[in-house]
Structure formats: structure tokens, C-alpha cells
Amino acid sequence: MRVVSHLRGLLSPLQLSVFCRLSLVFILSPFLFFLDIFTTAITAATCHYGNGTGVDSWPNAETNQSQAGEASAGDADWWTDSGNRNSVCGWADWLSFGQTLFMIGLLLGSLVGGAISDRYGKRPVLLVCVCVHAICGLVPAVLPQPILFLVIRCLTGVCCCCIHICSFSLAVEWTPPAARLWPPAFLPFCFSLGTMAGAPLAWLSPTWRQLHLSLALPQLVCLPLYLAIPESPRWLLLKRRMEVLERYRANSPEDQQCLDLLLDSALSDLQKASEAQKEPPPSGPASSDISHLRHPTILLRLFIMSYLSAVTALTYFGICMNVGSFGVSVYSAQFFSGLSEAPCLLVPLIHLGRRPISMLALFLSGSACFLSLLLSRYNCEPVLVMSLALLGKLCILAANFISVLYSIELFPTVVRQRCVSLVNLCFRIGCLVNSLVPPTANGAISLAAMVAYSSGPIVGCGLCLLLPETSGISLPDSVEDCDKQPKPHLPNFGALWRRGKLASSQSSRTETLPAERDAAHTGLI
């Protein structure tokens, strides 16, 4: 209660409404994000009996899923009866394509989500997507057909990506400038809580129908709560929706003070944008911005950040989607997979500079994955193997969090959005490529895939040596400003703490630029 009262003293009622409801959105979205893991476990336990392909339940293999399989042999329903041609068991092989279609949906959502929300507003797009997202979780329970299921998985991916884009933007735009590092850390923390909550729900659902109902009904019940989410004040000001802003201001004196602070920064950004539009265009053609991408400095940074983005997606989702292949119960593995991500909430408290943290996180991720691979070849304890893999996932998640801000600070204003979009596209391609990597015959991660998960981050750690340190330095506006940035050099660990203190003191006085707001959704979720 003391924490809640403290937050009420710091945040206005509208801000509390935004953060509480968006945190609920992120807690519930992992239910369908990792649905393919649970559907595979359910069908393996209920459709194949006594062949060793079933998975252990959580925490005891004899308590739930095995009983579900035995029960379905006697009084089987048409959802799991292997003798019924309309059963899910009749098309269980189609389930392997569900993860690929979901990743394709994420890619499509990243291409259209930002443009749609910029045109129609983040709130209506968010409300529509959460409704469709909840319905997508319910439909397979009623109509378990293979083609429909795959279409639903693709549509779920589109909605999930749009939800994350709008939620990140709303959270950042309702946050004061001095605290805008926290939404990209807090919302993924809520996502990890949802990952942990989804594991016991799936474990308690022994059949196909019960699984989808248990994961979809909480989202349907919470839909009315999202109606109170306000629109972005910056978007309302940009669209001249002053009557809505005045209604928000009239809610309470705290809301009025909050909006005055947020809109002051928004007005300054809009004035800068209008002044830039009034300036005469440069003498060169409109394609001159594209020519900046050919500059060696920009090309090098674009290559490195695109590589890091693709490697991050490959390693993170490679471990997330294969947590059941480490010899541990898929439900307990999924729970601890979410738990392993929780420490990323502390990343904003570390002030060591962008490059040292990125290098450290990438090196630890690659080393942990390599040790996990090495121990798995010597048949060590599955718990130890999985723990090392989850440590690698935690480190790669921290590296991704830093790379979001690092990408913004490395590229000049004239081509920043193009470069960040290309980096984000490489991330989605990495997600899609990972879903196409087949497992081994016994369902484990293949040797080639695990080598890629371990070697990719270590190579990225070496590539970071070619990047400058950008913490506490003004954002570059041109290629010339990029060339004036400090030249890359080996990190001096003795000066890291002093630089971290300087960066933290300057970040409290520096306002987040619009490019950072637009690129805040380029993270993992």
C-alpha cells in the first residue's frame, strides 16, 4: 500500500490508468505468444500414448498430462480423440507451421502497425487489436480446423505486434522526459510476468479446448478495462483534437499539471518540425537523403546494428521457442524462462555506457549458450543446461534493450528513421529464420542452431569495438556530426563509472527526441 500511495503522489490519475492497463495488456499477451509451445505439448500428451513422445507435466509427470491422455482414451472428446478424423490429432503435423505463421504475422504487423496508428491514433488501433487478439485465442477452441488455425496464428502475430507498437508508444508519450528509459524496461518485465502466469494455466488445461479457453477467457474478461486507456497527448495535439485534451485536463489538477508538462515538450518538438518545414529545401534532389546511406560510416554502423538485431532475435526466440527441448518439463521451463527475464528491469539503473554494456551482455550470452551446448553433449543435468541457456537469453535481452537506444544515437537525424526501420526489419527476419530451423529427431535444438546461438553474440561483441561510445553525447544531425563523434577505442574500465555518472546526470536534463519515441517499439516484444 505504501508503494501504491507513493506512485499516486508521483503520477497523475491518467498516467496511472495508462501504466496499469498497459501492464495488464503485456501480462496477458504472452498467453497466445507462446501458444505453439503448449499446443505441441498437449497434442503429444493426448494423441500419442506410451511411445515416449509425451512431455512431462509440471511439476510431476504423473499428475496431469499423463492423466489427460489416459482419460481421453476412455471418454475422449472430439478435440483429442485420435480415432476421430475431425480431431486435432488427425492434423497434429500442421501444428509445426503455427510458429512460422505467427512470426510472419509479427513481420507484417511491424510493417503496417506504425503507419496505421499514426493515422488513426494509437488508442483505437490498440482497442481493435486486443479484441481481435482475444477472439483469435477463442476460435480454435470452437473450430479446431488446420487451415483456420494457421490463419488465426498469422492474424494473432499481426495483432500482437500492433499491440506492442501502440502500447510502447502510449507508455513513452505519457511518461515525463526524464523517465522515458523506464517504459521499455517495465513493459517487458510485465511480459515476463505473463510468461510465468501462462505456464501454470497451460499445465492445468489437459485438452485442446481447455487450453485455448483458459488462455483466451482472461483476455476477454479484461477487455472492458482497456476502454479507459487515453489517447496519446502528442497525437491529439498533432491532429488538433483540443476538445479531447481539455477533457483530459479537466479530470483533476494532477492531470492538468501532467499534460502541461507533456505538451510543453510536444509543442517544442512541433515548433522545431514546423521550422524545419519552412526552411528552403537543399539544392540537391530529394534522393540526397538516400546518398547519406552510402557513406562508409553509416554503412558500417548499419551493418553492425542490423547484424546485432538479427542475432538477438535468433538467439532470444531460439531459446524461448525451444525451452521444452532441454530435458525439463515444458511448463516448468516456460515458467523459469519468464522468471529469467525479470532482472532486465534493473538495466536502466546501470550507467556504464552503451558500448561496454552491449559488449558485456553479448559476450555473456554467447558464453552461456556455448557452455549449455558443451554440457548437453556430455549429458549433464538438464536443469544446469537449461539454466545456462536461460542466462544466455537474459543477457541477449539486455543487449537488445541497449541496442534500441544505441541505434537511435548512432545514426544522424537525416536518415535515422530509415536506419532504425532497417534494423527493426532485420530483427523480424531473424525471428522468421529461427522458426524455419528444424529440431533434431528427438525434438532437441540442433547442433548447428545452438552453435549459431552461441557464436553469433560473441562475434557481435567484437563488432561493437568498431562503434563509438554515445552515452552523454548529443544526437548527431548529419553525417559530419557522426564523424565528429569519439573514435572507437578499447574500453577503459577505470573510467566507466565516472562516465556513467556523467551520463546519468545529463540524461535527467536531456529531452527525448521524436525519433526515440517512434523507435521505442523496435524491441523484442
Side-chain angles (χ1 to χ4, degrees):
M1 295 299 293
R2 183 176 300 176
V3 175
V4 174
S5 61
H6 180 66
L7 289 177
R8 288 179 178 176
L10 295 177
L11 303 176
S12 70
L14 272 178
Q15 285 178 310
L16 280 175
S17 175
V18 171
F19 298 145
C20 291
R21 286 164 173 79
L22 292 184
S23 63
L24 183 60
V25 171
F26 266 72
I27 289 175
L28 296 178
S29 64
F31 289 3
L32 299 185
F33 197 100
F34 299 108
L35 178 66
D36 298 298
I37 298 175
F38 301 134
T39 55
T40 302
I42 289 290
T43 54
T46 56
C47 298
H48 307 286
Y49 313 121
N51 59 356
T53 59
V55 293
D56 297 335
S57 60
W58 179 47
N60 190 333
E62 304 295 332
T63 57
N64 190 0
Q65 295 301 331
S66 59
Q67 293 179 3
E70 294 168 0
S72 62
D75 54 347
D77 56 28
W78 66 285
W79 313 94
T80 56
D81 183 10
S82 57
N84 192 328
R85 64 180 181 180
N86 293 324
S87 167
V88 175
C89 301
W91 50 272
D93 294 339
W94 292 68
L95 296 177
S96 60
F97 299 101
Q99 181 181 339
T100 302
L101 268 297
F102 181 80
M103 293 300 175
I104 292 176
L106 289 178
L107 177 61
L108 296 176
S110 66
L111 296 177
V112 302
I116 295 176
S117 61
D118 286 341
R119 180 172 182 178
Y120 299 103
K122 299 171 180 61
R123 180 179 180 271
V125 174
L126 177 62
L127 294 179
V128 170
C129 288
V130 292
C131 291
V132 177
H133 190 262
I135 295 173
C136 287
L138 187 64
V139 169
V142 182
L143 298 172
Q145 300 298 325
I147 300 298
L148 180 61
F149 176 75
L150 296 181
V151 172
I152 287 296
R153 289 304 291 159
C154 184
L155 182 59
T156 303
V158 174
C159 292
C160 186
C161 187
C162 292
I163 287 172
H164 290 171
I165 288 175
C166 296
S167 298
F168 269 112
S169 297
L170 282 174
V172 170
E173 294 179 17
W174 275 99
T175 305
R180 281 178 180 163
L181 280 176
W182 283 101
F186 176 70
L187 292 182
F189 172 76
C190 296
F191 189 86
S192 65
L193 295 180
T195 303
M196 291 186 285
L201 280 177
W203 174 70
L204 293 171
S205 307
T207 64
W208 174 273
R209 176 173 55 182
Q210 292 176 1
L211 173 67
H212 286 82
L213 289 178
S214 63
L215 298 181
L217 289 180
Q219 304 190 55
L220 291 172
V221 171
C222 294
L223 286 180
L225 298 177
Y226 304 143
L227 296 176
I229 296 178
E231 182 56 89
S232 163
R234 286 176 172 267
W235 187 87
L236 292 173
L237 183 64
L238 182 64
K239 299 297 182 180
R240 301 295 189 266
R241 303 282 182 86
M242 307 307 296
E243 67 282 357
V244 181
L245 285 174
E246 290 300 324
R247 187 167 69 248
Y248 289 166
R249 290 167 58 91
N251 285 341
S252 67
E254 293 82 4
D255 289 332
Q256 180 178 356
Q257 183 179 1
C258 168
L259 284 171
D260 288 342
L261 175 63
L262 295 175
L263 294 180
D264 282 345
S265 60
L267 283 172
S268 63
D269 289 341
L270 290 176
Q271 289 175 355
K272 292 177 182 177
S274 61
E275 291 175 359
Q277 292 177 356
K278 293 179 181 178
E279 293 180 357
S283 57
S287 61
S288 59
D289 289 347
I290 303 298
S291 64
H292 292 298
L293 294 175
R294 303 174 183 174
H295 193 278
T297 301
I298 304 301
L299 283 176
L300 177 63
R301 297 181 180 183
L302 184 59
F303 168 76
I304 295 175
M305 297 310 297
S306 298
Y307 173 83
L308 293 179
S309 185
V311 165
T312 297
L314 197 65
T315 303
Y316 177 82
F317 285 103
I319 297 175
C320 279
M321 297 302 180
N322 294 281
V323 291
S325 64
F326 293 103
V328 183
S329 163
V330 65
Y331 302 100
S332 58
Q334 184 69 8
F335 177 84
F336 287 106
S337 176
L339 183 63
S340 67
E341 298 180 5
C344 275
L345 184 64
L346 304 177
V347 171
L349 301 179
I350 304 175
H351 302 289
L352 294 180
R354 307 289 188 257
R355 191 176 67 158
I357 295 182
S358 297
M359 294 178 63
L360 180 62
L362 289 168
F363 179 78
L364 290 178
S365 176
S367 301
C369 290
F370 177 77
L371 289 177
S372 176
L373 171 64
L374 187 64
L375 293 179
S376 66
R377 296 299 160 183
Y378 287 95
N379 297 321
C380 290
E381 285 294 329
V383 174
L384 178 60
V385 174
M386 187 192 70
S387 299
L388 288 171
L390 294 184
L391 175 61
K393 184 173 76 94
L394 168 64
C395 294
I396 205 68
L397 183 62
N400 178 80
F401 172 74
I402 295 299
S403 68
V404 172
L405 298 179
Y406 209 178
S407 297
I408 297 169
E409 297 168 342
L410 283 173
F411 299 114
T413 304
V414 290
V415 291
R416 181 175 293 124
Q417 287 305 105
R418 289 187 178 94
C419 293
V420 170
S421 298
L422 289 174
V423 171
N424 187 33
L425 179 62
C426 292
F427 182 87
R428 295 303 176 189
I429 293 176
C431 298
L432 182 59
V433 169
N434 177 77
S435 65
L436 300 176
V437 177
T440 60
N442 58 357
I445 302 178
S446 64
L447 177 62
M450 204 62 191
V451 169
Y453 301 157
S454 57
S455 61
I458 294 179
V459 173
C461 175
L463 291 177
C464 286
L465 291 173
L466 303 177
L467 298 176
E469 176 55 54
T470 59
S471 179
I473 299 176
S474 301
L475 294 178
D477 293 322
S478 62
V479 177
E480 290 74 15
D481 293 337
C482 292
D483 292 332
K484 294 177 183 178
Q485 289 178 330
K487 298 299 181 181
H489 60 277
L490 294 177
N492 183 3
F493 292 97
L496 289 180
W497 291 105
R498 295 193 299 271
R499 183 180 299 173
K501 293 180 181 180
L502 177 62
S504 60
S505 62
Q506 291 185 356
S507 61
S508 61
R509 301 192 302 268
T510 304
E511 182 180 334
T512 303
L513 295 183
E516 181 174 346
R517 181 190 69 240
D518 296 336
H521 57 75
T522 60
L524 285 173
I525 312 192

